[in-house]
Amino acid sequence: MGLLFVVVVWVLYAMMKNLLIIFILPLIFTACKENSKDTKPIEKLEFYSDNSNLTFKKRVILENCDSLFYFYRNGQIFKRGKIQKNEKPFGIWNLYSNDGKLREIREWFVIDGHSRMNRAWFLDKKGDTLAWRDQDSIFNQKEFVNDTLGTRATNYNVFDFNKDTIDLNEPIRGVAYCNSRRIRDYDSQIRVFFHSESENFNSPFPNDSLIRTDHFDNLKTDTINQKWFTDINPKRYGHVSIFGSWFKKPGKKLLRGYMEEYSYGPFKDKEIDSMTARVYFEKTIYVKDTIK
């Protein structure tokens, strides 16, 4: 399928202008439904152990997942996001300083039953994205000071899609940009594995045997599509990959997959013969029952 898809003409010049700047974070699909409008959501509160009037945590019970909020002692939100009924965090989680400023964004996926932190973005006090946050922890309250990640570098890996709604006779098209290489010291490159037609929105993330049936090489191998990326230095071709799919039936679709950064040895200072690093993605689109 990948070889058939690459012949589709696609101009991407405008996309490349914003390659290294995140203005709007990708929306992460969540199979989490609100309760009926006629039903008031159930809320469960937990309070600080030394003050029963101060809310520490609030849980909003939804149909098949819950929203979770943690609060500073001054009443400001520390962090908020969604969890599955089995307590696994997923989707986008926002973390704030005690003066209400958004300072960190974390993206979670549940893979093989385990929550995995996929990407993170760090922001300054003005809300601008930081490539690197100098401070180890900015959440100045003892209950939250240790809620830090093992990295302070913003992840600039990007998955761009051409549309949210397509006709039945046109493909969905995406581009993966590996701008934050995790194994850059070993001459890495990327490929994309893509599962394109899931209609079960409450299903777990597909396992490898299903996702790896369709893969797309990077521009170093995909020479047909190099002509649409003239603004990119050819040295970066190994870290850009075009992928996509056609659809047989209309309706809402959940697209899932991952970009795999990989390198083959042998390596001088390693006994292993290969290394990989993955970044996952989800995208919800709608296929109209129309043909143009």
Side-chain angles (χ1 to χ4, degrees), residues 154-176:
T154 286
N155 189 302
Y156 284 99
N157 293 322
V158 175
F159 302 94
D160 275 324
F161 290 85
N162 60 326
K163 293 182 179 180
D164 294 320
T165 301
I166 61 174
D167 293 304
L168 189 57
N169 64 330
E170 68 174 317
I172 188 69
R173 299 174 291 221
V175 184

Side-chain angles (χ1 to χ4, degrees), residues 25-250:
L25 293 176
L27 294 178
I28 301 300
F29 174 80
T30 60
C32 184
K33 298 180 180 178
E34 302 290 342
N35 293 317
S36 169
K37 294 182 179 180
D38 299 328
T39 304
K40 185 177 180 180
I42 299 173
E43 295 184 357
K44 293 184 178 181
L45 301 179
E46 294 183 23
F47 300 92
Y48 280 91
S49 59
D50 59 352
N51 190 331
S52 60
N53 294 317
L54 286 180
T55 300
F56 173 70
K57 181 169 69 173
K58 179 175 74 172
R59 184 167 185 159
V60 180
I61 310 300
L62 303 175
E63 183 176 332
N64 50 17
C65 73
D66 297 336
S67 292
L68 209 57
F69 303 80
Y70 289 85
F71 297 89
Y72 289 103
R73 288 181 176 271
N74 65 1
Q76 294 281 0
I77 292 177
F78 162 55
K79 69 177 178 179
R80 64 178 181 179
K82 285 186 167 60
I83 60 172
Q84 295 184 339
K85 292 299 184 179
N86 59 6
E87 308 295 324
K88 305 292 184 181
F90 71 98
I92 293 295
W93 279 70
N94 292 326
L95 289 81
Y96 303 83
S97 57
N98 58 13
D99 59 354
K101 304 290 186 181
L102 178 62
R103 299 301 303 277
E104 189 174 316
I105 301 169
R106 300 173 184 176
E107 177 189 63
W108 292 85
F109 280 94
V110 178
I111 309 295
D112 295 330
H114 301 283
S115 285
R116 179 195 297 261
M117 215 283 297
N118 193 52
R119 291 183 291 180
W121 298 266
F122 300 95
L123 294 81
D124 63 17
K125 293 180 180 180
K126 296 180 181 180
D128 297 325
T129 303
L130 294 169
W132 176 268
R133 187 173 71 197
D134 293 327
Q135 298 166 284
D136 185 26
S137 177
I138 60 170
F139 308 119
N140 298 318
Q141 185 173 304
K142 65 178 183 179
E143 289 86 357
F144 306 133
V145 70
N146 291 323
D147 192 341
T148 58
L149 301 176
T151 179
R152 286 178 277 168
T154 286
N155 189 302
Y156 284 99
N157 293 322
V158 175
F159 302 94
D160 275 324
F161 290 85
N162 60 326
K163 293 182 179 180
D164 294 320
T165 301
I166 61 174
D167 293 304
L168 189 57
N169 64 330
E170 68 174 317
I172 188 69
R173 299 174 291 221
V175 184
Y177 301 96
C178 184
N179 300 319
S180 295
R181 295 164 59 188
R182 293 168 58 184
I183 51 177
R184 63 171 62 244
D185 294 335
Y186 298 93
D187 193 27
S188 67
Q189 54 186 312
I190 68 164
R191 55 195 171 198
V192 171
F193 293 92
F194 187 44
H195 181 55
S196 62
E197 195 159 2
S198 172
E199 298 177 358
N200 182 0
F201 291 89
N202 292 316
S203 64
F205 208 93
N207 58 36
D208 264 9
S209 63
L210 185 59
I211 290 183
R212 293 181 82 90
T213 55
D214 284 326
H215 93 274
F216 298 83
D217 291 315
N218 58 64
L219 289 180
K220 186 183 292 186
T221 301
D222 178 13
T223 57
I224 293 176
N225 279 306
Q226 289 179 4
K227 60 181 176 290
W228 310 119
F229 293 85
T230 56
D231 288 348
I232 293 182
N233 187 323
K235 293 181 180 180
R236 294 199 61 242
Y237 282 168
H239 301 96
V240 180
S241 179
I242 297 179
F243 61 98
S245 181
W246 302 81
F247 298 92
K248 298 178 181 178
K249 298 184 295 183

Side-chain angles (χ1 to χ4, degrees), residues 249-267:
K249 298 184 295 183
K252 185 181 286 188
K253 311 293 181 182
L254 174 58
L255 316 179
R256 285 165 158 171
Y258 55 80
M259 175 180 68
E260 184 174 77
E261 184 185 1
Y262 66 96
S263 182
Y264 295 130
F267 308 114

